[in-house]
Amino acid sequence: MSNKMWGGRFASGPDAIMEEINASIGFDFRLARHDIEGSKAHAAMLAQTGILEPLDAQAIIRGLDEILREIEAGTFKFSRALEDIHMNIEARLTELIGPVAGRLHTARSRNDQVALDFRLWIREAIDALDEQLRDLQTALAEKALAHAASVMPGFTHLQPAQPVTLGHHFLAYVEMFSRDRSRLRDARTRLNESPLGAAALAGTSFPVDRTMTAKALGFDRPAANSLDSVADRDFVLETLSAAAICAVHLSRLAEEIVLWATPQFGFASLSDKFSTGSSIMPQKRNPDAAELIRGKAGRIIGALNALLIVMKGLPLAYSKDLQEDKEGTFDALHSLSLCLAAMTGMVADLTPDLKRMKAAAGLGYATATDLADWLVLTLKLPFREAHHITGRLVAIAAAQKKGLEKLSLAEMQAVEPRISQDVFAVLGVENSVRSRTSFGGTAPRNVRIQAKLWLKRQKK
Ligand code: ARG
């Protein structure tokens, strides 16, 4: 049997494989609610503009509401033979209200319909992600405030570099997630134009009111070019790229948690809620949630790559390749949402080992820069010379396998006679962080101010 939606010029139905490769209902059923919302706005506009009899529009809208109830109740029967969500809904509408259902598709095509539905879906997903990101920022800022003065090693090249505070470290991620939110908001602003009324590609000869449907669906305006609005998916690409960058941020934090939780670092432990055991090694506590967050960044980045590649050779306007925009996106944004929830839980639950962090902060001559700065400030040496003297002192201490603060004054004066007793004050890790008061620096006072600022911003 030929397709009941478009089978007029077909004598027979599709090959089984054709049906399988063509159908999108297996994943685009997720657009059901948005499809119905769009159809209702379209029907109301058709009535308002006199294109459709008001009674017909009413019957259509009532039928669509009934379908929504069926979908929410789980009683709606999705059919693969009907290809996609748009035709599944229209076919059911025909069953419910008869041939008048066929009038809904006046002045519309599945091309502007799917471009509309997907915009509505993405817009909702962005709003949900924004809330999750805000929750994660709150969890991080709270931890930052609690640990504004807790000293830990700051690394470059994963080598101990200079002491920082744990609060400062957490706030670094708060900043990153703030930019992620702003990128998502940005994508939302640009996607918020309605494609409805572009029809298949060229617009329509019916006297539609595109501003009316755009307004009813919460868009800022109708999109100005019909070809563009059915053919581009840059709103998906922008959202996926913001998602991919966010996933990379999450993955870096996850990687740090994995490192911190090793016995070698011993900087933090995860609660039972976010760890798993091994089926063979009874002693193990594995940071699986962090590892999965790190791992899922792969599929999120993959979804962005996949869609960029789908799009790159497509002539205007619609081609069926565009149906490939959905599965990866659904998966990627769902994965990101899961990662955000897991990370928020993990951060709130993380117990840092402050003693160990502080001890590690003093390892590896992490206050050598403070010594060099002291030589500049107190003895007015040029920084390069101070750097050189400090390097020699580090070499002497390293040869004796001890810390800088364990060198005697005499040993120091053998290298630079003007060094005095008060140099020892800057060799402690706490003094080191306390002195980093430049704007954006790690001093506990700065961290407290910034953490409170973030907590206040999140409440708005
Ligand atoms: N399922 C299709 C998609 O997701 C809907 C649009 C179909 N349009 C067409 N001209 N065949 O892209």
PDB file of all heavy atoms in Angstrom, residues 39 41 54 76 81 103 107 117 120 129 133 146 195 199 201 223 251 269 365 405 409 436 455 457:
ATOM      1  N   SER A  39       1.369  23.262  15.789  1.00  0.00           N
ATOM      2  CA  SER A  39       0.173  23.047  14.967  1.00  0.00           C
ATOM      3  C   SER A  39      -1.008  23.842  15.497  1.00  0.00           C
ATOM      4  O   SER A  39      -1.820  24.366  14.722  1.00  0.00           O
ATOM      5  CB  SER A  39      -0.177  21.557  14.934  1.00  0.00           C
ATOM      6  OG  SER A  39       0.776  20.871  14.154  1.00  0.00           O
ATOM      7  N   ALA A  41      -0.888  26.698  17.106  1.00  0.00           N
ATOM      8  CA  ALA A  41      -0.674  28.105  16.758  1.00  0.00           C
ATOM      9  C   ALA A  41      -0.968  28.334  15.271  1.00  0.00           C
ATOM     10  O   ALA A  41      -1.564  29.346  14.885  1.00  0.00           O
ATOM     11  CB  ALA A  41       0.766  28.509  17.086  1.00  0.00           C
ATOM     12  N   PRO A  54     -13.564  28.865  11.123  1.00  0.00           N
ATOM     13  CA  PRO A  54     -13.332  28.816  12.568  1.00  0.00           C
ATOM     14  C   PRO A  54     -13.742  27.479  13.194  1.00  0.00           C
ATOM     15  O   PRO A  54     -13.046  26.962  14.069  1.00  0.00           O
ATOM     16  CB  PRO A  54     -14.193  29.953  13.099  1.00  0.00           C
ATOM     17  CG  PRO A  54     -14.320  30.912  11.966  1.00  0.00           C
ATOM     18  CD  PRO A  54     -14.278  30.097  10.709  1.00  0.00           C
ATOM     19  N   PHE A  76      -0.755   6.628  23.110  1.00  0.00           N
ATOM     20  CA  PHE A  76      -0.613   6.929  21.680  1.00  0.00           C
ATOM     21  C   PHE A  76       0.200   5.833  21.003  1.00  0.00           C
ATOM     22  O   PHE A  76       1.233   5.414  21.519  1.00  0.00           O
ATOM     23  CB  PHE A  76       0.069   8.296  21.515  1.00  0.00           C
ATOM     24  CG  PHE A  76       0.117   8.799  20.099  1.00  0.00           C
ATOM     25  CD1 PHE A  76      -0.877   9.641  19.621  1.00  0.00           C
ATOM     26  CD2 PHE A  76       1.147   8.434  19.249  1.00  0.00           C
ATOM     27  CE1 PHE A  76      -0.836  10.112  18.311  1.00  0.00           C
ATOM     28  CE2 PHE A  76       1.195   8.903  17.938  1.00  0.00           C
ATOM     29  CZ  PHE A  76       0.200   9.742  17.468  1.00  0.00           C
ATOM     30  N   ALA A  81       5.531   3.071   9.927  1.00  0.00           N
ATOM     31  CA  ALA A  81       5.090   3.258   8.541  1.00  0.00           C
ATOM     32  C   ALA A  81       4.732   4.722   8.286  1.00  0.00           C
ATOM     33  O   ALA A  81       4.787   5.193   7.147  1.00  0.00           O
ATOM     34  CB  ALA A  81       3.895   2.364   8.261  1.00  0.00           C
ATOM     35  N   ARG A 103      -6.948  19.726   6.557  1.00  0.00           N
ATOM     36  CA  ARG A 103      -6.831  21.168   6.310  1.00  0.00           C
ATOM     37  C   ARG A 103      -5.716  21.828   7.136  1.00  0.00           C
ATOM     38  O   ARG A 103      -5.295  22.946   6.847  1.00  0.00           O
ATOM     39  CB  ARG A 103      -8.152  21.872   6.627  1.00  0.00           C
ATOM     40  CG  ARG A 103      -9.281  21.439   5.738  1.00  0.00           C
ATOM     41  CD  ARG A 103     -10.511  22.316   5.913  1.00  0.00           C
ATOM     42  NE  ARG A 103     -11.604  21.806   5.095  1.00  0.00           N
ATOM     43  CZ  ARG A 103     -11.739  22.110   3.793  1.00  0.00           C
ATOM     44  NH1 ARG A 103     -10.891  22.919   3.207  1.00  0.00           N
ATOM     45  NH2 ARG A 103     -12.736  21.594   3.099  1.00  0.00           N
ATOM     46  N   ALA A 107      -0.785  25.788   3.801  1.00  0.00           N
ATOM     47  CA  ALA A 107       0.237  26.844   3.949  1.00  0.00           C
ATOM     48  C   ALA A 107       1.383  26.418   4.856  1.00  0.00           C
ATOM     49  O   ALA A 107       1.992  27.234   5.545  1.00  0.00           O
ATOM     50  CB  ALA A 107      -0.385  28.141   4.484  1.00  0.00           C
ATOM     51  N   ASP A 117       9.703  22.815  15.217  1.00  0.00           N
ATOM     52  CA  ASP A 117       9.661  21.920  16.371  1.00  0.00           C
ATOM     53  C   ASP A 117      11.039  21.828  17.045  1.00  0.00           C
ATOM     54  O   ASP A 117      11.152  21.849  18.272  1.00  0.00           O
ATOM     55  CB  ASP A 117       9.251  20.499  15.949  1.00  0.00           C
ATOM     56  CG  ASP A 117       7.818  20.445  15.436  1.00  0.00           C
ATOM     57  OD1 ASP A 117       7.159  21.501  15.394  1.00  0.00           O
ATOM     58  OD2 ASP A 117       7.370  19.338  15.063  1.00  0.00           O
ATOM     59  N   LEU A 120      11.924  24.853  19.001  1.00  0.00           N
ATOM     60  CA  LEU A 120      11.209  24.886  20.293  1.00  0.00           C
ATOM     61  C   LEU A 120      11.860  23.920  21.287  1.00  0.00           C
ATOM     62  O   LEU A 120      12.023  24.232  22.465  1.00  0.00           O
ATOM     63  CB  LEU A 120       9.729  24.513  20.104  1.00  0.00           C
ATOM     64  CG  LEU A 120       8.861  25.521  19.347  1.00  0.00           C
ATOM     65  CD1 LEU A 120       7.471  24.932  19.093  1.00  0.00           C
ATOM     66  CD2 LEU A 120       8.747  26.835  20.104  1.00  0.00           C
ATOM     67  N   LEU A 129      19.226  23.539  30.860  1.00  0.00           N
ATOM     68  CA  LEU A 129      20.672  23.461  31.114  1.00  0.00           C
ATOM     69  C   LEU A 129      21.133  24.677  31.911  1.00  0.00           C
ATOM     70  O   LEU A 129      21.998  24.576  32.789  1.00  0.00           O
ATOM     71  CB  LEU A 129      21.453  23.379  29.801  1.00  0.00           C
ATOM     72  CG  LEU A 129      21.350  22.050  29.039  1.00  0.00           C
ATOM     73  CD1 LEU A 129      21.976  22.183  27.652  1.00  0.00           C
ATOM     74  CD2 LEU A 129      22.023  20.909  29.815  1.00  0.00           C
ATOM     75  N   LEU A 133      23.250  24.563  35.292  1.00  0.00           N
ATOM     76  CA  LEU A 133      24.549  25.211  35.423  1.00  0.00           C
ATOM     77  C   LEU A 133      24.562  26.156  36.620  1.00  0.00           C
ATOM     78  O   LEU A 133      25.553  26.253  37.343  1.00  0.00           O
ATOM     79  CB  LEU A 133      24.895  25.973  34.141  1.00  0.00           C
ATOM     80  CG  LEU A 133      25.529  25.110  33.049  1.00  0.00           C
ATOM     81  CD1 LEU A 133      25.404  25.760  31.676  1.00  0.00           C
ATOM     82  CD2 LEU A 133      27.005  24.855  33.355  1.00  0.00           C
ATOM     83  N   ALA A 146      33.637  28.185  51.837  1.00  0.00           N
ATOM     84  CA  ALA A 146      34.083  27.368  52.977  1.00  0.00           C
ATOM     85  C   ALA A 146      35.597  27.167  52.960  1.00  0.00           C
ATOM     86  O   ALA A 146      36.219  26.998  54.003  1.00  0.00           O
ATOM     87  CB  ALA A 146      33.367  26.015  52.952  1.00  0.00           C
ATOM     88  N   PRO A 195      10.419  29.902  11.972  1.00  0.00           N
ATOM     89  CA  PRO A 195      10.457  29.494  10.569  1.00  0.00           C
ATOM     90  C   PRO A 195       9.058  29.208  10.005  1.00  0.00           C
ATOM     91  O   PRO A 195       8.903  29.033   8.795  1.00  0.00           O
ATOM     92  CB  PRO A 195      11.286  28.203  10.605  1.00  0.00           C
ATOM     93  CG  PRO A 195      11.074  27.650  11.968  1.00  0.00           C
ATOM     94  CD  PRO A 195      10.762  28.796  12.887  1.00  0.00           C
ATOM     95  N   ALA A 199       7.046  27.421   4.743  1.00  0.00           N
ATOM     96  CA  ALA A 199       6.495  26.275   4.010  1.00  0.00           C
ATOM     97  C   ALA A 199       7.641  25.382   3.502  1.00  0.00           C
ATOM     98  O   ALA A 199       8.616  25.197   4.207  1.00  0.00           O
ATOM     99  CB  ALA A 199       5.569  26.729   2.907  1.00  0.00           C
ATOM    100  N   LEU A 201       9.929  25.703   1.080  1.00  0.00           N
ATOM    101  CA  LEU A 201      11.188  26.446   0.888  1.00  0.00           C
ATOM    102  C   LEU A 201      10.975  27.875   0.396  1.00  0.00           C
ATOM    103  O   LEU A 201      11.825  28.730   0.562  1.00  0.00           O
ATOM    104  CB  LEU A 201      12.109  25.713  -0.114  1.00  0.00           C
ATOM    105  CG  LEU A 201      11.754  25.777  -1.614  1.00  0.00           C
ATOM    106  CD1 LEU A 201      12.964  25.405  -2.441  1.00  0.00           C
ATOM    107  CD2 LEU A 201      10.582  24.895  -1.957  1.00  0.00           C
ATOM    108  N   ALA A 223      11.345  34.507  10.880  1.00  0.00           N
ATOM    109  CA  ALA A 223      12.620  34.540  10.153  1.00  0.00           C
ATOM    110  C   ALA A 223      12.395  35.146   8.772  1.00  0.00           C
ATOM    111  O   ALA A 223      11.373  34.897   8.135  1.00  0.00           O
ATOM    112  CB  ALA A 223      13.187  33.130  10.028  1.00  0.00           C
ATOM    113  N   SER A 251      34.774  17.974  32.082  1.00  0.00           N
ATOM    114  CA  SER A 251      35.722  16.880  31.987  1.00  0.00           C
ATOM    115  C   SER A 251      37.040  17.221  32.693  1.00  0.00           C
ATOM    116  O   SER A 251      37.670  16.368  33.326  1.00  0.00           O
ATOM    117  CB  SER A 251      35.970  16.564  30.506  1.00  0.00           C
ATOM    118  OG  SER A 251      36.903  15.533  30.382  1.00  0.00           O
ATOM    119  N   SER A 269      38.323  12.910  49.215  1.00  0.00           N
ATOM    120  CA  SER A 269      37.633  11.634  49.072  1.00  0.00           C
ATOM    121  C   SER A 269      36.195  11.896  48.664  1.00  0.00           C
ATOM    122  O   SER A 269      35.609  12.931  48.974  1.00  0.00           O
ATOM    123  CB  SER A 269      37.705  10.835  50.366  1.00  0.00           C
ATOM    124  OG  SER A 269      37.188  11.616  51.406  1.00  0.00           O
ATOM    125  N   TYR A 365      59.301  23.295  46.264  1.00  0.00           N
ATOM    126  CA  TYR A 365      59.789  24.686  46.294  1.00  0.00           C
ATOM    127  C   TYR A 365      58.755  25.675  45.740  1.00  0.00           C
ATOM    128  O   TYR A 365      59.076  26.592  44.993  1.00  0.00           O
ATOM    129  CB  TYR A 365      61.134  24.786  45.554  1.00  0.00           C
ATOM    130  CG  TYR A 365      62.103  23.799  46.130  1.00  0.00           C
ATOM    131  CD1 TYR A 365      62.358  22.588  45.508  1.00  0.00           C
ATOM    132  CD2 TYR A 365      62.704  24.056  47.363  1.00  0.00           C
ATOM    133  CE1 TYR A 365      63.196  21.650  46.086  1.00  0.00           C
ATOM    134  CE2 TYR A 365      63.548  23.118  47.948  1.00  0.00           C
ATOM    135  CZ  TYR A 365      63.791  21.918  47.308  1.00  0.00           C
ATOM    136  OH  TYR A 365      64.584  21.005  47.888  1.00  0.00           O
ATOM    137  N   GLU A 405      62.611  26.660  53.455  1.00  0.00           N
ATOM    138  CA  GLU A 405      62.478  27.242  54.806  1.00  0.00           C
ATOM    139  C   GLU A 405      63.403  26.552  55.801  1.00  0.00           C
ATOM    140  O   GLU A 405      63.625  27.048  56.896  1.00  0.00           O
ATOM    141  CB  GLU A 405      61.005  27.200  55.261  1.00  0.00           C
ATOM    142  CG  GLU A 405      60.453  25.838  55.657  1.00  0.00           C
ATOM    143  CD  GLU A 405      60.193  24.905  54.465  1.00  0.00           C
ATOM    144  OE1 GLU A 405      60.366  25.332  53.311  1.00  0.00           O
ATOM    145  OE2 GLU A 405      59.831  23.735  54.706  1.00  0.00           O
ATOM    146  N   LEU A 409      70.050  30.804  57.866  1.00  0.00           N
ATOM    147  CA  LEU A 409      70.305  32.156  57.376  1.00  0.00           C
ATOM    148  C   LEU A 409      71.719  32.238  56.793  1.00  0.00           C
ATOM    149  O   LEU A 409      71.943  32.862  55.759  1.00  0.00           O
ATOM    150  CB  LEU A 409      70.120  33.175  58.519  1.00  0.00           C
ATOM    151  CG  LEU A 409      70.218  34.637  58.108  1.00  0.00           C
ATOM    152  CD1 LEU A 409      69.187  34.986  57.041  1.00  0.00           C
ATOM    153  CD2 LEU A 409      70.047  35.549  59.323  1.00  0.00           C
ATOM    154  N   ARG A 436      48.898  37.286  47.772  1.00  0.00           N
ATOM    155  CA  ARG A 436      48.439  37.399  46.367  1.00  0.00           C
ATOM    156  C   ARG A 436      47.123  38.179  46.293  1.00  0.00           C
ATOM    157  O   ARG A 436      46.079  37.649  45.954  1.00  0.00           O
ATOM    158  CB  ARG A 436      48.230  36.004  45.764  1.00  0.00           C
ATOM    159  CG  ARG A 436      49.468  35.145  45.724  1.00  0.00           C
ATOM    160  CD  ARG A 436      50.334  35.514  44.514  1.00  0.00           C
ATOM    161  NE  ARG A 436      51.384  34.529  44.302  1.00  0.00           N
ATOM    162  CZ  ARG A 436      52.599  34.606  44.837  1.00  0.00           C
ATOM    163  NH1 ARG A 436      52.916  35.586  45.640  1.00  0.00           N
ATOM    164  NH2 ARG A 436      53.490  33.679  44.572  1.00  0.00           N
ATOM    165  N   LEU A 455      27.475  33.890  44.924  1.00  0.00           N
ATOM    166  CA  LEU A 455      26.294  33.360  45.614  1.00  0.00           C
ATOM    167  C   LEU A 455      25.136  34.347  45.507  1.00  0.00           C
ATOM    168  O   LEU A 455      23.984  33.954  45.331  1.00  0.00           O
ATOM    169  CB  LEU A 455      26.614  33.026  47.060  1.00  0.00           C
ATOM    170  CG  LEU A 455      27.513  31.782  47.212  1.00  0.00           C
ATOM    171  CD1 LEU A 455      27.995  31.631  48.655  1.00  0.00           C
ATOM    172  CD2 LEU A 455      26.787  30.524  46.750  1.00  0.00           C
ATOM    173  N   ARG A 457      24.742  36.570  43.056  1.00  0.00           N
ATOM    174  CA  ARG A 457      24.281  36.577  41.652  1.00  0.00           C
ATOM    175  C   ARG A 457      23.357  35.407  41.361  1.00  0.00           C
ATOM    176  O   ARG A 457      22.406  35.522  40.597  1.00  0.00           O
ATOM    177  CB  ARG A 457      25.479  36.465  40.711  1.00  0.00           C
ATOM    178  CG  ARG A 457      26.192  37.769  40.512  1.00  0.00           C
ATOM    179  CD  ARG A 457      27.251  37.593  39.412  1.00  0.00           C
ATOM    180  NE  ARG A 457      28.252  38.617  39.542  1.00  0.00           N
ATOM    181  CZ  ARG A 457      29.559  38.413  39.467  1.00  0.00           C
ATOM    182  NH1 ARG A 457      30.048  37.208  39.278  1.00  0.00           N
ATOM    183  NH2 ARG A 457      30.402  39.410  39.593  1.00  0.00           N
TER     184      ARG A 457
END
